[in-house]
Amino acid sequence: MSERTTRIGVDVGGTFTDLVLHDPARDLVHTGKLLTTPDDPSLAIIAGIQRMLAETGLAPGDLHSIVNGTTLVTNTVIERTGATIGLLTTEGFRDVIEIGRETRYDLYDLFLEAPPTLVPRRRRREIRERLDVDGAVLVPLDEAAVATTARALVEEHGVEAIAISFLHAYRNAAHEERAAAIVRALYPDLPLTLSSQVAPEIREFERTSTACANAYVQPLMRRYVDRLEARLAAIGFTGRLYVMLSGGGIAAVSEAREFPIRLIESGPAAGAMAASFIARHAGLDRVVSFDMGGTTAKMCLVEDGAPDHKFDFEAGRVRRFVKGSGLPLKVSVVDMIEIGAGGGSIARADTTAGLMKVGPRSAGSKPGPVCYGLGGQEPTVTDADLVLGRLDPSYFLGGEMALDVDAVRRAFDAGVAGTLGLGDSEAALGVQRIVDETMASATRIHLAEKGRDPRRYTLIAFGGAGPVHAFNLARLLKMERLVVPLGAGVASALGFLVAPPATDMVRSYVARLERVDWAHVNALFAAMTEQGTRLLRDAGADPATVTLRPTAEMRHFGQGFEVPVALPSTTLGPDDVPAIRDAFFAAYRERFGRAMEDAPIECLSWRLACAAPGRDIRMDKGAASRAAATRDGTDAAAARRGVRDVLFEGLGPQACAVYDRYALRPGATFAGPALVEERESTCCIGPGSTVRVDDFLNLVIELA
C-alpha cells in the first residue's frame, strides 16, 4: 500500500467550521464550509470531513492526518465556563493571583472591576515548603499536607483539576514534581498542571496565573479531544490528529491534552500563518493580515514572510483594549489584535445617546444572522451586507443556503432602523461604516504600537466576511494595494496545512551577563533541544530537518522589563559575551532609540524556537474544481456572470459586474466596481480600482 499523503485542515470558528483538503497525489485542493455546532463542535467537524471525502472520492482510511484548531479554550476563559479547580502553592503565597502586580489598569476609576480569578480563595491551599532563588531547599516539602489538602479539595470542594505552583519552581521543579506524584497516587485520573512544566520562567504571578488557566480548561479540552478521536475512529479514520498552537506551530494532540492553554489563540494563529504563506508566494515582504469571520476580526503584522510573535498574552479582559484588565498568561502567541467585529456582530440602538452600535456581541451560528432563517431576530453585519447588495441571496455557500432579504428588512425596521428613524438601507450603511471604522481604528493602534505606517503595507484579506469589507478597510487605512487569495473564505483552514511543526521552549536562569554559568546555560539548551525535537517528531517532523533559533530575554540590571536578543548558538561560552552584548545593544536601540552601554546587563530567560519545514500548497491546483465556466484564456469577460447594484457610501447604487471566481485565469484584469463570488466568500471591489489575477490566482487590487 502506498504512503498516505492526503491531509485536512479544520478551523472551528464561532460561526462556521472551515475545511481544506490537500491531496498531493492528485494535485488537488478542495474546500468546504458549514455552520459550527457550538454544543458539540466535533459534530460539524465529522460532517464536514465526510462531505469532503464524498466530494473528492476518498475514504477516511486514505487520510494521512487531520490538523485542527479551535476557539474552545479562549471561549471557555472568556465566558468563565471551565472546570472547578484548586491551587496548591507555597505557604504565604495563596493570594498571589489576586494581588497580582498591585497595579490598577485605570488609575481614575473608583469603581474599577478587577479581572476575576479562576480559583476562589477557599480553593487556594498553602503547603509548607520553600526554595531559594537559586532552587536550593530552605524548607522541605510537607508531603503529608499535600495528601491531606488534595483529599479536601477533591472530596469537599469537588475540584476537577489541580494546579501546583510553588515559589521558584522554575529554577527547581523537585517539590512540584513530588507533590504531583503524591496527588496522582491518590487520584490517578485527576488532571494536574505544574507551573514548572507549563511556564518554567520567572515572575510568580504570571506563572501561577498560567498554571491555573491551564488547569481550568484541561478537563474540557480532554473531553473534546477524546470525543473527536472517538468519532473519527468511528468513521474509519486511522491517521494522526494534530493541533495548531497559539504560536503558529503544529503539535501532537497530546499537547492539547496536557497544555491546552497553549491553544488559546489556535484559530487566529492559523490565519496569520496562511497570510504569511500567501505573502511569500506573492513576493510581499510588508503585509497586514486581515481575517474577518463570523464572530471576530483579527489583524496581524507580517514582515519578511513571518508574523510577529510574543511570549505573553492577556485573556478575558474586562476592558477589551486595556492592558492589565485580563488574565496574564506566559504562552507563545502570534502577536495580533482581535476585536468583536465579524459577520455575526449584532447592530443595536443606544437609545440614551441616540447612536447605533455594532458588536462585540455576536449571533454566532446559533441562532445566526437574521438572513440565515435559523431564528435570529437582531440584524447583524452580514444582514447589512445583504441589504447593500454585497451578497447574492441565492449564492451564499454556493447556493446551499438561501438568504432571506425580506426578513432582514423587517428586522431592521423593527430594530435599529426603526428606533433611530432610518430606512433599512441607511441603517445598513451605518452598520457597515461603524464596523469598518472599528476595524480600521484597531489596526491603526496595533501598527502604531509597533512604529509602523499602514500606508507602506499591503492588506491580505480572508475569512468569510473579510473580502466583503477589505476594500473599505484598505481605503480607510490609506493602503494602495489589497490582495485576496483564492479560497479566502477558508484560508484559516489552509493555514493548518502550510504551518510548520514548531514549538517554543523556555527556561529562566537569572544572572549578570559577565557572571553567567555557561555550562548551566548549555545544559538548559541541550534539554530544550531534546524536548523540542521529541515534540516535533511527535508532530510528524523529521528530526533531521528541525532548525533551532536560540534567544535570551535581557535587560539592563535593575530594569523591570526585558528585550529578546538573538544568540549565536545553543552552545555558548565566555568568548561569545562581546557578540551577545552587541546584539543586546542593537535590540535595545531598535526598541527604545538609545542604549546605555555603561550599564550592566542581566539575562533572565533563555528561549529556543524549534521548527521543521512546512508544506507548500498551490491553491490554484484543483481548487477551481467547482467551476462551472471555462478557465481558458485571460479575458475576464468570460468569467462575468451578470450585474448587480451595490450601495456604496457617498456614491449611491453602483452597477457592479459580478465575476465567477473559479473562472478567472492568471493575467485577467478588470476594473471596479465589481463583485467576485466564490463558494465561501464574496469580494466587493469599489469604484476607481483595478484588479489583476496573479499566477497563484490571487486578486491583486490596486486602489485609486
Side-chain angles (χ1 to χ4, degrees), residues 625-647:
S625 59
R626 299 180 187 277
T630 179
R631 298 181 62 214
D632 294 332
T634 60
D635 185 4
R640 284 186 62 157
R641 58 165 51 149
V643 177
R644 186 162 75 244
D645 281 348
V646 176
L647 189 59

Side-chain angles (χ1 to χ4, degrees), residues 468-594:
V468 181
H469 292 261
F471 183 88
N472 269 357
L473 179 61
R475 181 178 54 81
L476 290 169
L477 294 172
K478 296 182 171 57
M479 291 176 162
E480 296 180 353
R481 183 185 297 114
L482 163 66
V483 173
V484 179
L486 182 66
V490 294
S492 287
L494 170 68
F496 293 123
L497 300 184
V498 299
T503 189
D504 292 294
M505 319 297 295
V506 62
R507 299 289 188 273
S508 281
Y509 161 54
V510 182
R512 295 267 287 268
L513 181 59
E514 67 274 13
R515 301 174 188 169
V516 168
D517 180 348
W518 294 110
H520 180 66
V521 169
N522 293 338
L524 292 179
F525 276 126
M528 288 190 284
T529 299
E530 188 280 328
Q531 184 182 5
T533 303
R534 174 171 48 80
L535 290 173
L536 297 195
R537 185 177 60 246
D538 293 343
D542 179 356
T545 66
V546 173
T547 58
L548 307 175
R549 185 167 55 85
T551 57
E553 300 285 338
M554 302 169 65
R555 65 187 180 187
H556 285 298
F557 184 75
Q559 290 185 324
F561 299 94
E562 54 278 355
V563 295
V565 178
L567 298 176
S569 172
T570 57
T571 305
L572 302 166
D575 292 343
D576 295 301
V577 170
I580 295 173
R581 180 182 287 111
D582 290 344
F584 169 73
F585 289 143
Y588 198 92
R589 286 192 190 93
E590 184 180 2
R591 179 75 61 91
F592 300 110
R594 66 189 184 97

Side-chain angles (χ1 to χ4, degrees), residues 257-322:
R257 284 195 175 92
E258 295 303 317
F259 305 112
I261 201 63
R262 295 176 183 170
L263 277 70
I264 193 160
E265 288 287 277
S266 174
M273 299 310 292
S276 302
F277 173 78
I278 294 162
R280 289 194 298 270
H281 271 253
L284 301 171
D285 58 357
R286 289 185 297 189
V287 160
V288 174
S289 160
F290 168 51
D291 177 6
M292 184 178 181
T295 307
T296 59
K298 286 80 67 176
M299 284 71 74
C300 175
L301 189 68
V302 177
E303 293 183 306
D304 299 323
D308 277 0
H309 283 79
K310 61 181 181 179
F311 300 100
D312 51 63
F313 179 73
E314 275 192 21
R317 282 178 171 172
V318 175
R319 297 185 187 171
R320 280 187 297 161
F321 300 118
V322 181

Side-chain angles (χ1 to χ4, degrees), residues 415-428:
V416 63
T419 302
L420 298 178
L422 302 172
D424 48 28
S425 295
E426 290 177 296

Side-chain angles (χ1 to χ4, degrees), residues 229-281:
E229 285 189 319
R231 287 194 166 138
L232 287 170
I235 66 170
F237 173 68
T238 57
R240 298 289 300 274
L241 178 63
Y242 298 114
V243 294
M244 167 72 79
L245 302 179
S246 298
I250 301 300
V253 74
S254 58
E255 192 90 347
R257 284 195 175 92
E258 295 303 317
F259 305 112
I261 201 63
R262 295 176 183 170
L263 277 70
I264 193 160
E265 288 287 277
S266 174
M273 299 310 292
S276 302
F277 173 78
I278 294 162
R280 289 194 298 270
H281 271 253

Side-chain angles (χ1 to χ4, degrees), residues 165-178:
S165 181
F166 292 152
L167 193 65
H168 302 308
Y170 68 88
R171 196 70 168 83
N172 181 354
H175 280 185
E176 286 194 354
E177 291 170 353
R178 178 57 188 149

